[in-house]
Structures are given as C-alpha cells and as structure tokens.
Amino acid sequence: MIEPSELVGREAPGPGNRSDEVTEFAATFTAVTDRVCGVVKGKASQVRLALVCLLARGHLLLEDVPGVGKTSLAKAIAQSMGLTWTRVQFTPDLLPADITGTTVMGPDGQAFAFRRGPIFTNFLLADEINRASPKTQSALLEAMQEQQVTAGEHTYPLPSPFLVIATQNPVGHDGTFALPVSELDRFLVRSHLGYPDRSSALEMMQSASGASGAIDPVVGPEKVLHMIRTAADVFVAPALQEYMVDLVDATRSHHAVLLGLSPRALVGLQSASRAMAASQGRTYVVPDDVKALLGPVGNHRLVLQPEAAYQGTTAADVIDDVLTRTSPPVPSRRRVADG
C-alpha cells in the first residue's frame, strides 16, 4: 500500500490546500451523496462518481436501459445542489434554437432582441440526447466547451457553474443518432446505473406510494462554486502527472485502438482525480484516484480498430490492459521534511 505522504511529500503551498477546506468539502460531499441516495436507491458509488464529475466542472453522460433512474439521478443532483436546472426532452424534430434561444422582434416592432433558451441555466438535463439530430446536438458543443452561446453577431456567457447531464439508452436505436466523437469527448465521464439489487428494489417498492416531489437543497450556488475551486487546488505530484501522461499515451499506441484519449481527456482525468481526492478528505491525489477514474473518463472516448471490435475487444478491455502495463510512480522512502 502506497503511503500518500511518501508519494507527494509535503503539501504544495497555497490557501487551496488547507486541510480545513478539504475536510469541509468531504463533509458536504457526503451530505449531498446521502440526500441523492435517498431518491436513487442502492447506487451510492454511481452517485459519488457523478458528483466527482460535476465538481471537477465536467459534463456527465448517463447511459443505460430505460427505467433505471437516469433522469431521477440528474434531477436529484440538481435539486440537492440548490442550482437552477432545466430539462429538455430531445426529439428528432428539436431545433438548435429550441435549446440556445432565438432572435425575435422586440415589443416596439422595430428592434430585434435575443430570447434566451433553456440552456441558460446551471444544470441542463438533456434527456435522451441521442434522439436529436446531429445539427441539434451540435448546438451544445460551444456551450459545453466554452460556457457561452453565440447567436448571430453576439456571444452570451452562460451561468456559472454550467453543467450538462445527458441521458441516452444503449438499446432501441430506432429514431436515434449516435453522438459523434467530438461531442463524446466533451463529456468528462460516462456512467451506467444498472439494475438495483434485491434489497434496494424492495425498498423502492415500499416507498413507491409516497410522492416524489422536489428535495431540499444541501448547498447553494456560492457553496458549489467554492467546492469547485477547492477541488481545483488539490495537489498533484509531478510524478502522478507523468503517470497520467503515460496512461493516455498508452491508449494511443495500443494495438486495438484507432483513436486514443485526447489532451482534453488528460486534463479532465487530472481534474476528476483532484475532486475524488477532496471527496475523501485528502489535499493530494494518489495513484488509486487515477486508476479508479481512467475507465469512466476514457471508455467512451476510445475508438477501436474494426478488427479488434469484431473480435469482441471492448474499450474496458483496453483500459484494463493499459493499467496493467503502465506502472504507477514508485514512492520514495525518504520523507520530505516540513519546511
């Protein structure tokens, strides 16, 4: 077992690494997790992964069969964080302007004004995103990467934080359009909920008669932004940064891979590792954080060689192989004295 102190030495200087802030982050993170788990039964690990993604300022793609609680999870997270949220049901006839907004004639009948669409919110729940046409899906690209919307000659900033939680079903492909690689790359994490276990299913049945209305928020907008800043200041040792680069490079040179992980994925892996470390009350990242997140961050980004896919190789297989073949940094046995 690697001792974190042996790997990272003393904490890097800076107010973001203060233990009290990270301790408060972890306590709030647990409180939000518990609140969401009161709605989505038996999925604590998936809830924690979703919160890590969002507090790393990433976008989340929930992919699973119908009826397992994807939309419920997204709504519960948005409500528990006390942020504004909007749900858009994606359909084949949805237009880009239905999401971003459109320019309309003003009340005076002479000047035009921009009427903002539902994307101007903290949380955008894009339900069944793969049912919209590629043209409509592309309306999200600028917003997800640059947190702004361009309409005509003007650019409008989106609220901060701005987070997209999208859902899609991997079955029933009639009337769907696969997300292009460029759009998949903008999602920091892809997650699956899966069916509940027996005890969780029984608990769901026993509570099904109750009304499932809005849940009380645990935090507010300012607190969420503070948590995002705290996570961004978590220390990452140079040796761990080299380890992340080695992992990403290994996906690009893997014999079964046509398109490996992008630089955006590398930056996202570090951000998510920082948020995971903070969620566990640590002011520094350890190799286990990186290992746990490489799959959720990388699986949906890998494009396999046709031959490998035909032979049954999956992106998860490639990630497992890369983790096996790439050695994590070896901790020094010499402890760095506190300065």
Side-chain angles (χ1 to χ4, degrees):
M1 182 66 179
I2 298 176
E3 289 290 336
S5 58
E6 293 180 351
L7 178 64
V8 303
R10 67 182 180 88
E11 296 175 9
N17 286 314
R18 291 182 299 186
S19 297
D20 55 345
E21 288 191 356
V22 175
T23 300
E24 183 182 0
F25 180 106
T28 305
F29 186 95
T30 300
V32 174
T33 300
D34 292 343
R35 183 64 55 85
V36 176
C37 286
V39 177
V40 184
K41 309 292 185 182
K43 300 297 177 184
S45 60
Q46 290 90 335
V47 171
R48 292 182 66 87
L49 177 61
L51 292 176
V52 164
C53 170
L54 299 174
L55 291 172
R57 219 168 188 132
H59 306 292
L60 175 65
L61 178 62
L62 295 174
E63 182 179 273
D64 219 315
V65 297
V68 296
K70 300 185 298 296
T71 303
S72 297
L73 172 61
K75 290 172 61 178
I77 290 176
Q79 292 175 352
S80 66
M81 287 186 163
L83 301 176
T84 61
W85 65 281
T86 305
R87 179 190 180 207
V88 176
Q89 182 65 51
F90 279 55
T91 56
D93 60 347
L94 194 71
L95 299 176
D98 295 329
I99 302 173
T100 59
T102 186
T103 302
V104 297
M105 181 69 71
D108 58 2
Q110 297 181 359
F112 286 91
F114 179 67
R115 179 174 294 173
R116 301 187 175 206
I119 201 171
F120 287 86
T121 185
N122 294 127
F123 273 95
L124 177 68
L125 171 52
D127 220 356
E128 296 188 291
I129 188 173
N130 56 331
R131 294 202 174 276
S133 67
K135 180 178 181 180
T136 300
Q137 290 181 20
S138 66
L140 293 174
L141 297 182
E142 179 187 15
M144 293 174 69
Q145 181 63 28
E146 303 175 45
Q147 296 197 359
Q148 64 184 28
V149 168
T150 300
E153 300 178 353
H154 301 282
T155 298
Y156 304 90
L158 292 169
S160 183
F162 171 73
L163 307 166
V164 174
I165 304 180
T167 71
Q168 67 173 0
N169 301 325
V171 295
H173 295 295
D174 293 341
T176 65
F177 303 86
L179 272 63
V181 174
S182 60
E183 186 170 3
L184 285 172
D185 195 48
R186 282 167 169 79
F187 286 100
L188 175 57
V189 166
R190 182 180 65 178
S191 181
H192 307 271
L193 287 179
Y195 291 116
D197 56 31
R198 181 179 178 83
S199 61
S200 298
L202 289 171
E203 187 178 355
M204 289 170 56
M205 293 175 66
Q206 292 165 2
S207 61
S209 59
S212 56
I215 63 176
D216 295 330
V218 176
V219 293
E222 291 302 319
K223 180 66 174 179
V224 172
L225 288 173
H226 180 72
M227 293 178 72
I228 290 173
R229 290 191 294 266
T230 299
D233 285 335
V234 168
F235 178 65
V236 183
L240 268 182
Q241 292 177 326
E242 293 181 11
Y243 178 52
M244 295 182 202
V245 171
D246 291 342
L247 289 171
V248 170
D249 283 344
T251 67
R252 298 170 184 167
S253 60
H254 196 279
H255 66 275
V257 174
L258 179 64
L259 182 64
L261 297 186
S262 66
R264 184 188 287 123
L266 174 62
V267 174
L269 179 61
Q270 176 174 255
S271 299
S273 298
R274 282 172 160 156
M276 176 168 281
S279 73
Q280 298 175 11
R282 281 186 278 104
T283 58
Y284 47 82
V285 174
V286 297
D288 285 347
D289 297 327
V290 180
K291 293 177 181 178
L293 288 165
L294 184 63
V297 170
N299 279 337
H300 60 289
R301 290 178 160 98
L302 293 180
V303 178
L304 301 182
Q305 295 282 1
E307 299 85 356
Y310 178 77
Q311 294 172 1
T313 302
T314 65
D317 295 331
V318 172
I319 294 294
D320 289 342
D321 189 42
V322 165
L323 286 171
T324 300
R325 294 172 178 268
T326 308
S327 300
V330 178
S332 171
R333 294 189 178 278
R334 180 178 63 85
R335 294 180 182 272
V336 179
D338 291 336

